[in-house]
Amino acid sequence: MAKLPPGFRFHPTDVELIMYYLKRKIMGKKILFEAISELNIYKFSPSDLPDKCCYKSKDLEWYFFCPSERKYASGFRMNRTTETGFWKITGRDRRVLYDEKFVGSVKTLVFHQGKAPRGLRTDWVIHEYRFEDKDMAVAGFSLVPF
Amino acid sequence: MAKLPPGFRFHPTDVELIMYYLKRKIMGKKILFEAISELNIYKFSPSDLPDKCCYKSKDLEWYFFCPSERKYASGFRMNRTTETGFWKITGRDRRVLYDEKFVGSVKTLVFHQGKAPRGLRTDWVIHEYRFEDKDMAVAGFSLVPF
């Protein structure tokens, strides 16, 4: 990826993330600009994730595509545990509208160190982007230190 | 200027505006990316300015370089009147530091319709960027509808 000129940044809206990046990824279409890295984020500690992102900037936000893994083959619960802790859903989903139509949703998850249901809350937050309400094989994530 | 890919925006910091864009402009150096239009902003109503900006986006912020005009040849007061009103300084200057050094300052001005000192306050705001504290021939501006 070519370096961006000064002042230019990757600051996508929810709609751009869902309707362009995530939709194209799910459909297997090319994305010309490598701003979002493909990575199983649950294999890493939150603090190791920034270095794994292909898009380098001084912004404290990083974007990833991540394969969705079920906790049990038969169920819908996602496996969000990592080696050192787990990502816990916080608050309600945010619905994303485009042209007055529902196009996706955003979950907020906070990293907790240790084992569920206990664990020590940290300042690491991810937003999980889903295309429509379908159970897709890939979700989009943005990571921020709270 | 080539169209930016989805999610990429011109969101410069104070330091980038002063140390890259404004400094290069003052020094007569080339700026490869036309994100900032050169324009005498005092010749227009605020609502006509967005169309004059070369950088098109959905962001409600526009950037300009503007020649500085003195009110009186002998003095330092700037002439900030337009045909339909005037830009009035609001609040104190914001000092911009880079590597702990003072590199410039930012003034906030609000557009008032009518004649000074009266006039009807509007929601149009500009931020005037100055390189160091020198009396340069060009200032940088960002325009926002409040």
Side-chain angles (χ1 to χ4, degrees):
Chain A
M1 184 178 178
K3 213 168 162 273
L4 288 172
F8 288 88
R9 322 200 122 73
F10 187 54
H11 279 180
T13 62
D14 291 348
V15 169
E16 286 166 339
L17 281 173
I18 288 170
M19 293 297 285
Y20 183 81
Y21 288 99
L22 192 51
K23 189 177 173 186
R24 286 185 82 88
K25 186 75 183 173
I26 288 166
M27 295 172 85
K29 286 194 181 174
K30 265 199 177 166
I31 296 167
L32 289 175
F33 314 95
E34 279 192 47
I36 306 182
S37 302
E38 196 170 338
L39 189 78
N40 188 337
I41 61 170
Y42 300 113
K43 292 214 183 299
F44 299 91
S45 286
S47 56
D48 292 334
L49 290 173
D51 272 351
K52 307 283 174 199
C53 184
C54 55
Y55 168 66
K56 306 287 180 205
S57 81
K58 286 179 182 168
D59 289 338
L60 297 177
E61 184 150 20
W62 302 271
Y63 296 88
F64 300 96
F65 291 122
C66 176
S68 295
E69 262 179 38
R70 304 266 184 78
K71 193 159 189 172
Y72 308 106
S74 60
F76 285 106
R77 281 182 66 193
M78 301 295 303
N79 191 1
R80 294 195 175 95
T81 53
T82 78
E83 213 168 276
T84 59
F86 58 98
W87 291 95
K88 190 177 172 184
I89 296 171
T90 309
R92 295 172 65 181
D93 288 15
R94 183 164 83 239
R95 287 165 58 84
V96 179
L97 302 177
Y98 178 66
D99 269 351
E100 295 178 21
K101 279 183 210 128
F102 172 75
V103 293
S105 59
V106 188
K107 269 189 211 315
T108 300
L109 300 104
V110 176
F111 188 73
H112 288 64
Q113 276 182 320
K115 289 214 167 165
R118 291 187 180 178
L120 194 66
R121 188 188 168 105
T122 71
D123 288 342
W124 290 96
V125 171
I126 47 175
H127 300 284
E128 185 192 273
Y129 290 83
R130 280 168 174 273
F131 181 67
E132 295 176 357
D133 48 3
K134 293 197 183 96
D135 188 29
M136 296 291 185
V138 184
F141 288 92
S142 74
L143 170 78
V144 284
F146 208 63
Chain B
M1 183 178 181
K3 215 169 160 271
L4 289 171
F8 288 89
R9 320 201 123 72
F10 187 54
H11 280 179
T13 61
D14 290 349
V15 169
E16 286 166 337
L17 282 174
I18 288 171
M19 292 298 284
Y20 182 82
Y21 288 100
L22 192 51
K23 188 177 173 185
R24 286 186 82 86
K25 186 75 184 175
I26 287 167
M27 294 172 83
K29 287 194 181 174
K30 263 197 181 169
I31 296 167
L32 289 175
F33 314 95
E34 277 193 47
I36 305 181
S37 302
E38 195 170 339
L39 189 77
N40 187 337
I41 61 171
Y42 301 114
K43 291 213 182 301
F44 300 91
S45 286
S47 56
D48 292 334
L49 290 173
D51 273 351
K52 308 283 175 198
C53 184
C54 55
Y55 168 64
K56 305 291 179 201
S57 80
K58 285 178 183 169
D59 289 338
L60 297 177
E61 186 149 19
W62 301 270
Y63 295 88
F64 301 95
F65 290 122
C66 176
S68 296
E69 264 179 37
R70 304 268 184 77
K71 196 159 186 172
Y72 309 105
S74 59
F76 285 105
R77 281 182 66 191
M78 301 293 303
N79 191 3
R80 295 194 175 95
T81 53
T82 77
E83 212 168 278
T84 59
F86 58 97
W87 291 95
K88 190 178 171 182
I89 296 171
T90 309
R92 294 171 65 182
D93 287 16
R94 183 164 83 239
R95 285 166 59 86
V96 180
L97 302 178
Y98 179 66
D99 269 350
E100 296 178 21
K101 277 182 212 130
F102 172 74
V103 293
S105 60
V106 187
K107 270 188 209 315
T108 300
L109 299 104
V110 175
F111 188 73
H112 289 64
Q113 277 182 319
K115 290 215 167 164
R118 291 186 182 180
L120 195 67
R121 188 187 168 106
T122 71
D123 289 341
W124 290 97
V125 171
I126 48 176
H127 300 285
E128 185 191 274
Y129 291 82
R130 279 168 174 274
F131 181 68
E132 294 175 358
D133 49 3
K134 295 197 182 96
D135 187 31
M136 296 290 185
V138 184
F141 288 91
S142 73
L143 170 77
V144 284
F146 207 64

